[in-house]
Amino acid sequence: MKLRYILILIAALVGSGIVPSDALASNRKERRLISKGNDAYKQRNFADAQTLYQAALEENSASAEALYNLGLSQIRQIVNINDTTPENKSKLDVARKNFQNVAGMAKDKPGLAAKANLNLGNIEFKAKEFQKAVDYYKQALRIDPNDDKARKNLRIAQLNLKNQQNQQNQDNQNQNQDQKNQDKNKDQQQDKDRNQDRDNNQDKDNEKEKQQDNNISKQSAERILKAVDNKESATRARVSKGNEKSENARGRNMRRW
């Protein structure tokens, strides 16, 4: 009965000229295109559904339903949300933007706005952007507190966010520990190098002292040998001189025949 009264009212407004007949025809065409798009979507012909929803938006650019369904048909054509190729990234950005536009219609279209936030949360969840996912799920629940799916997804996203933060903290701790170990190893290597340099310098000093000692010992030995040679020479000279005197003495004492 309510729909009948609405149709009667619309017909009366059209007849009175308050609502232009072409606007009514455009609205009917929009609804028909959305319906065909929905049929294509159910048959998983997402590309065809996208084309039909876009045609509906050409009839009525403010159609929240056509815009929301367009986002759905676009996101279903993306195989891997984490695919970073330019083509895939462009498709994802367009779908995300369409959902964001619908998410901003909470005042006029609360039901679609809540669903748009839910889908945005799902996109961020699959991309492992858990903090963003949590924010979108919370926004969906603010608009529709009875959305059990958003509440369930929120709990899962919060759990994953906590695990992600714990893992990041652990990674940071490991990185800090690795840095400390590297600094410690570096200090130990520097100490080792300094000790090696000190040992090398000590070895050089010892070698130098040894060479000096050897030189002194050599010089001392040469002096000793020279002194011995001089002593022996002096001794031989005395002996020779003594022998010469003896010979002279014997010569004088010899009798001549």
Side-chain angles (χ1 to χ4, degrees):
M1 294 295 292
K2 184 176 180 181
L3 178 59
R4 180 182 176 184
Y5 286 132
I6 292 175
L7 293 174
I8 293 172
L9 178 60
I10 291 175
L13 292 173
V14 171
S16 65
I18 296 176
V19 177
S21 59
D22 58 344
L24 183 61
S26 178
N27 183 265
R28 288 175 177 172
K29 188 175 181 180
E30 171 204 340
R31 301 306 305 172
R32 186 166 60 253
L33 289 168
I34 290 176
S35 179
K36 289 183 178 180
N38 292 344
D39 291 339
Y41 186 93
K42 291 177 183 178
Q43 295 174 9
R44 305 185 66 83
N45 295 327
F46 303 121
D48 292 342
Q50 175 180 338
T51 301
L52 290 166
Y53 294 139
Q54 288 172 334
L57 286 169
E58 291 178 0
E59 297 297 326
N60 178 13
S61 60
S63 174
E65 185 177 353
L67 192 59
Y68 174 78
N69 289 354
L70 175 61
L72 286 178
S73 65
Q74 290 169 330
I75 202 69
R76 292 300 296 270
Q77 294 178 66
I78 299 176
V79 178
N80 181 12
I81 287 179
N82 295 310
D83 183 358
T84 58
T85 59
E87 181 180 2
N88 192 77
K89 187 176 183 300
S90 178
K91 290 180 179 180
L92 181 60
D93 289 342
V94 172
R96 184 187 279 115
K97 184 176 180 180
N98 289 332
F99 282 133
Q100 288 172 342
N101 288 336
V102 178
M105 300 179 184
K107 183 177 180 180
D108 299 325
K109 300 289 183 178
L112 287 177
K115 291 180 179 179
N117 278 287
L118 175 63
N119 279 278
L120 287 167
N122 292 341
I123 290 173
E124 300 303 339
F125 185 90
K126 291 179 180 179
K128 299 187 183 303
E129 295 289 344
F130 300 121
Q131 182 60 66
K132 292 181 180 180
V134 167
D135 294 339
Y136 279 123
Y137 292 141
K138 285 183 177 180
Q139 183 60 23
L141 287 170
R142 290 189 188 99
I143 299 172
D144 182 7
N146 297 319
D147 191 336
D148 292 335
K149 189 172 183 179
R151 184 174 291 103
K152 178 182 178 181
N153 288 3
L154 174 60
R155 289 196 295 267
I156 296 173
Q158 288 173 328
L159 179 60
N160 280 271
L161 175 61
K162 184 177 180 180
N163 292 336
Q164 186 182 63
Q165 291 173 339
N166 290 338
Q167 184 61 48
Q168 288 176 346
N169 291 335
Q170 185 62 46
D171 292 341
N172 290 335
Q173 291 178 1
N174 292 339
Q175 186 176 2
N176 292 335
Q177 186 60 44
D178 290 342
Q179 186 61 46
K180 289 181 180 178
N181 292 336
Q182 290 178 4
D183 293 340
K184 182 178 179 180
N185 293 335
K186 183 178 180 180
D187 292 339
Q188 290 177 344
Q189 185 61 42
Q190 289 177 345
D191 291 341
K192 184 178 180 180
D193 292 340
R194 282 193 293 269
N195 292 335
Q196 185 64 41
D197 291 339
R198 186 178 64 248
D199 293 341
N200 291 338
N201 292 332
Q202 185 65 40
D203 291 340
K204 290 180 180 179
D205 292 340
N206 292 338
E207 184 65 24
K208 186 175 181 180
E209 290 178 0
K210 184 177 180 180
Q211 291 178 352
Q212 291 176 347
D213 292 341
N214 290 337
N215 291 335
I216 293 173
S217 299
K218 185 177 180 180
Q219 292 174 357
S220 300
E222 289 177 349
R223 286 196 299 269
I224 293 172
L225 289 174
K226 186 174 181 180
V228 171
D229 289 342
N230 291 337
K231 186 175 181 179
E232 290 180 350
S233 297
T235 301
R236 285 194 298 270
R238 287 196 301 273
V239 171
S240 178
K241 187 175 181 181
N243 290 337
E244 183 179 353
K245 288 181 179 180
S246 297
E247 289 293 332
N248 292 334
R250 283 196 300 270
R252 287 193 300 268
N253 294 327
M254 291 177 64
R255 294 179 179 179
R256 295 182 180 180
W257 295 97

